[in-house]
Amino acid sequence: MTVIETVEQLEAIYGDTNDASIVKVADHVTPLYRIFIEKAPFAALATIGPEGIDCSPRGDLPGFVRIHDPKTLMLPDRRGNNRVDSLRNIVRDPRVSLMFLIPGSGNAVRANGRAHLSVDPELLASFKVEGKAPRSVMVMNVEEIYFQCARAIVRSDLWNPDKRIDPKTLPTPGQILAEMSQNKVGGAEYDRIWPERAAATMW
């Protein structure tokens, strides 16, 4: 196996970066990037900590990531499984990245920067949904933001409804938990009650 070991070797293979890849990068949320963020119902949050890198899905109503000002994004942490992998990483290493996706759009928008967690009561209250506030809010200082061209989404045909996988052909969470725990956790009952439990604890 031939392994690339230096940046020089890498650049020799890929060549020069084209102008479009450079000029699209900003150090703040521009008016046009604002439109993408305000319409996005989904983002992937990447963080880093001593144990390594983590990437976590984040989804909510469109515009759930608030643009406080052109240099500041705010992401509420909604109810989940309390693993707090991403939050634990942010406390120890502020470097974060967000990738926004909008169903039907071939482009993704990526924002990189540094963040901290806030539990300011007024800030938490401002993110209430159905009367329920998040337990913390990630406050991100944007250092760079840019769009990713559509090739990956076009190649994957991601938004084509005819290409959707039948969920019944995939392992269920209950099956995975049962396998991993020697049937001590999970199983068919876990899958049966999950929709009702999730609906009651969405926010």
Side-chain angles (χ1 to χ4, degrees), residues 99-184:
M99 183 174 71
F100 298 91
L101 293 176
I102 302 174
S105 172
N107 296 304
V109 167
R110 298 166 60 178
N112 300 320
R114 295 173 183 267
H116 66 269
L117 303 179
S118 174
V119 291
D120 177 81
E122 291 186 6
L123 181 61
L124 298 181
S126 73
F127 279 96
K128 281 185 178 180
V129 174
E130 296 184 1
K132 298 176 182 177
R135 282 185 279 184
S136 67
V137 173
M138 183 189 85
V139 181
M140 175 183 178
N141 179 64
V142 176
E143 296 176 351
E144 65 175 0
I145 184 170
Y146 53 94
F147 75 89
Q148 183 81 31
C149 77
R151 287 189 183 90
I153 292 176
V154 171
R155 283 193 294 257
S156 68
D157 212 6
L158 184 62
W159 306 126
N160 184 347
D162 295 330
K163 298 293 182 69
R164 290 180 179 170
I165 300 295
D166 182 353
K168 294 179 181 178
T169 66
L170 300 172
T172 68
Q175 290 170 336
I176 295 170
L177 289 169
E179 180 183 69
M180 298 295 290
S181 68
Q182 291 77 50
N183 293 310
K184 295 177 183 177

Side-chain angles (χ1 to χ4, degrees), residues 31-100:
L32 296 182
Y33 285 141
R34 170 182 284 268
I35 295 172
F36 273 93
I37 295 172
E38 291 179 339
K39 292 183 179 294
F42 179 87
L45 170 64
T47 59
I48 187 167
E51 296 84 8
I53 299 168
D54 184 74
C55 187
S56 175
R58 292 290 191 268
D60 211 324
L61 303 174
F64 70 103
V65 175
R66 179 183 298 170
I67 304 169
H68 178 70
D69 59 51
K71 288 291 290 184
T72 311
L73 299 177
M74 295 180 170
L75 169 64
D77 188 63
R78 300 297 182 192
R79 294 185 69 165
N81 57 20
N82 293 335
R83 282 183 56 108
V84 298
D85 296 305
S86 299
L87 307 186
R88 186 180 290 108
N89 280 349
I90 291 169
V91 168
R92 298 177 297 175
D93 189 321
R95 292 176 292 175
V96 298
S97 182
L98 283 168
M99 183 174 71
F100 298 91

